[in-house]
Amino acid sequence: MLGPSAVVRSGGLLSGARLGCRLREEDSGRRETFSAEWLDLELSTRPEQGWCRREVDQQRRETLEQCGELRVLEQRSPWGVLRVG
């Protein structure tokens, strides 16, 4: 059986999540029960090469440069759909 849903963080950032679903129905009149459990959604991030931005203001003689890390988000569903953003 599938374990409980879990969210994984790394350095304060979301790095992954596994979200499951459980369903249980009972029909006491017909003495029937049905239960199912499945992995509903799996999210994961992975670091990519960083980005850099540079702006130069000739009039004020200022330069601004920023660099950072880019993270890609992958979403997989049980229907075979993969979304990347």
Side-chain angles (χ1 to χ4, degrees), residues 18-80:
R18 291 176 59 98
L19 306 175
C21 190
R22 284 189 183 135
L23 175 68
R24 181 172 171 83
E25 295 179 354
E26 282 190 41
D27 187 346
S28 57
R30 297 174 74 179
R31 291 189 287 187
E32 295 178 342
T33 62
F34 172 79
S35 64
E37 187 173 350
W38 65 93
L39 178 63
D40 194 42
L41 186 63
E42 187 171 1
L43 296 168
S44 64
T45 62
R46 65 178 190 275
E48 291 287 327
Q49 284 187 342
W51 56 270
C52 283
R53 180 179 86 176
R54 183 182 165 118
E55 296 178 13
V56 177
D57 187 346
Q58 296 288 347
Q59 191 175 19
R60 292 185 177 179
R61 296 183 184 172
E62 294 177 345
T63 302
L64 171 67
E65 188 169 329
Q66 290 180 311
C67 293
E69 183 180 288
L70 177 70
R71 298 192 71 82
V72 174
L73 175 67
E74 293 178 12
Q75 178 182 0
R76 298 175 195 270
S77 71
W79 304 280

